[in-house]
Amino acid sequence: MAQSWRGKPHGGDGEGDPLAGAGRGHTDRRARTPPPLDADALERLALRYVERFATTRARLAAYLDRKLRERGWRSDAAPDPAALVARLAALGYVDDRGFAEQRAAGLTRRGYGVRRVGAALRAAGIAAEDAAPAEEAARDAAWAAALAFARRRRIGPFAPDAAAEADPVARRRTRDRAMAAMLRAGHAPRLAARILDAAPGTVPDEDGG
């Protein structure tokens, strides 16, 4: 669907005069007000949205609901954004399971744990059955994700040798802060403890070695 993106003209006869064109600007704003939606216009909005964004059924439905509130409806038949979303999902334009897998993989690579992955998928409105494969993959990659987080934050085995305080109280405070960071990132406490208890330069194996 071809579109023309034209910038507003600069300058003109009224440049520098704060009163010039004031009435015309008001008229232009009213002329630019989009008309109320009908079924065809709503579908065009939905198609444009899924072309531009990787999304979920819930997010697409929320977007369409917002557009209906903003612009109103001009058809005798009541709007049915839920049916439109379901049709686009059936056609493959919206794929909650695929979205979940991509989002989970990205979070895992960045070092986030299973709990953060699950929270992100729920926030995106993904149903449990569509999120399940992605969460299972995140569980399988939990150890690698935790190591990636520790490496990025330079804690546990990735902490510099100079960071090891001689004072046990300071050492405990440092460990507590690192543990809090790993828990916020969604890692299980026992897994985080194993990594944080490793000496700098000694990366533990997942199997306990």
Side-chain angles (χ1 to χ4, degrees):
M1 182 165 21
Q3 297 182 17
S4 174
W5 297 94
R6 299 177 181 174
K8 295 180 181 178
H10 295 282
D13 294 339
E15 186 174 358
D17 183 352
L19 299 180
R24 182 175 65 252
H26 181 68
T27 302
D28 290 345
R29 282 194 297 272
R30 286 185 299 176
R32 289 196 300 269
T33 301
L37 296 165
D38 58 15
D40 289 339
L42 189 66
E43 182 169 341
R44 286 194 297 271
L45 281 177
L47 287 170
R48 185 180 177 194
Y49 188 82
V50 298
E51 286 171 357
R52 295 178 62 194
F53 304 108
T55 192
T56 64
R57 290 193 294 265
R59 286 183 173 178
L60 177 58
Y63 169 75
L64 296 177
D65 286 340
R66 176 167 61 84
K67 287 300 181 182
L68 285 167
R69 289 194 302 272
E70 292 172 353
R71 295 178 54 175
W73 185 252
R74 64 180 176 183
S75 176
D76 292 335
D80 194 354
L84 176 56
V85 171
R87 181 157 58 86
L88 293 181
L91 292 171
Y93 287 102
V94 184
D95 180 4
D96 279 13
R97 184 163 296 199
F99 180 97
E101 290 171 354
Q102 291 185 10
R103 175 60 59 87
L107 289 170
T108 299
R109 284 194 300 270
R110 290 164 55 196
Y112 290 102
V114 178
R115 285 189 296 104
R116 278 291 293 273
V117 169
L121 300 184
R122 288 190 295 275
I126 297 174
E129 60 270 21
D130 289 322
E135 291 182 326
E136 183 62 29
R139 276 189 287 273
D140 292 341
W143 181 257
L147 285 177
F149 184 83
R151 184 182 296 108
R152 181 159 60 89
R153 296 294 293 266
R154 302 184 70 191
I155 55 179
F158 305 102
D161 290 337
E165 299 96 338
D167 180 6
V169 175
R171 191 162 60 246
R172 170 55 62 180
R173 281 200 298 265
T174 298
R175 186 186 185 282
D176 288 346
R177 286 195 296 269
M179 174 63 79
M182 293 202 73
L183 295 181
R184 286 194 300 271
H187 298 293
R190 290 181 62 183
L191 182 153
R194 281 194 57 210
I195 290 175
L196 294 178
D197 289 341
T202 305
V203 180
D205 296 328
E206 182 176 3
D207 60 7

